[in-house]
Amino acid sequence: MPPILAMCAFALTLSISPGPVNVLTLSTGLNHGARRALPFVGGATISFTLLLLAIGLGLGAVAESLGRGFDLLAVAGAGLIAWFGYKLATARGSLSTTEAPIPSFWHGVMLQVLNPKAWGACIAAVAIFELQESPAHLAVFVCLYGVICFFGIGSWAVFGQQVKRVLTSPERLRLFNITLGLTLIVLAVALLWRSVLV
């Protein structure tokens, strides 16, 4: 029997903790409503769970063998995150319509595939729960993670939609968008620093 409670706690902790995917989901919920964030949430969830499955089936060894070549993922991922941060920080912030980007399903897919943090989390999960040794446990964990990840990331969209009630003027919305955009840029730099420069 797999350690289901530990698996659930691991999945929830990683899915709900702040990071580029969740900050983008928060901004989409804020600027466009939680429903408009669902394609991005779905793409990020599916991409992460497929990555987890692939690493559990042996892709982790391939990733580790790439060595410094793996840094290209970090550069591409940081670039994508920084681009979203820039677009968000420079959006005008109108309460009726906004220029803030609406990340798509494929943005969610790409962001997870290009995110070394996601790769690291998957490799850690496979190692901690010894998922390469048991295809049945891997299948259970992938299914659990898929559900928990969707609701964990999706909760940020709902939170963003609720925050909009407090941001009752275009100036407040613009300031919040600038803050979220700069946060994404800082996360991109931190990701690049940890993955490539250290």
Side-chain angles (χ1 to χ4, degrees):
M1 179 73 180
I4 290 177
L5 287 179
M7 288 178 169
C8 289
F10 183 93
L12 181 61
T13 301
L14 287 182
S15 298
I16 209 163
S17 61
V21 170
N22 289 341
V23 172
L24 271 173
T25 305
L26 171 68
S27 73
T28 306
L30 168 71
N31 291 295
H32 306 286
R35 186 172 295 159
R36 299 289 297 274
L38 288 180
F40 177 73
V41 172
T45 300
I46 290 169
S47 180
F48 189 92
T49 51
L50 288 177
L51 183 61
L52 176 62
L53 178 63
I55 288 175
L57 294 174
L59 185 62
V62 174
E64 288 175 357
S65 71
L66 291 175
R68 298 303 285 180
F70 193 66
D71 293 344
L72 293 175
L73 279 177
V75 172
L80 183 60
I81 293 164
W83 178 80
F84 270 115
Y86 168 77
K87 294 295 282 181
L88 186 57
T90 57
R92 278 200 301 246
S94 164
L95 290 171
S96 55
T97 60
T98 181
E99 294 174 354
I102 304 176
S104 69
F105 175 88
W106 293 110
H107 288 130
V109 169
M110 284 191 310
L111 194 56
Q112 294 289 41
V113 169
L114 296 175
N115 185 355
K117 181 184 172 186
W119 283 76
C122 290
I123 291 169
V126 168
I128 289 168
F129 297 109
E130 300 176 347
L131 299 176
Q132 283 184 314
E133 310 300 322
S134 172
H137 288 186
L138 176 62
V140 168
F141 189 63
V142 167
C143 292
L144 284 172
Y145 208 109
V147 173
I148 292 170
C149 186
F150 182 81
F151 286 104
I153 297 172
S155 67
W156 285 79
V158 174
F159 177 62
Q161 186 170 302
Q162 297 306 311
V163 166
K164 189 164 187 174
R165 295 179 181 182
V166 178
L167 305 175
T168 54
S169 70
E171 294 79 20
R172 287 182 182 177
L173 182 59
R174 172 132 174 75
L175 182 60
F176 198 76
N177 280 337
I178 289 170
T179 303
L180 290 178
L182 292 177
T183 300
L184 281 172
I185 292 169
V186 168
L187 286 170
V189 171
L191 175 69
L192 200 58
W193 180 264
R194 279 198 319 264
S195 300
V196 178
L197 302 176
V198 174

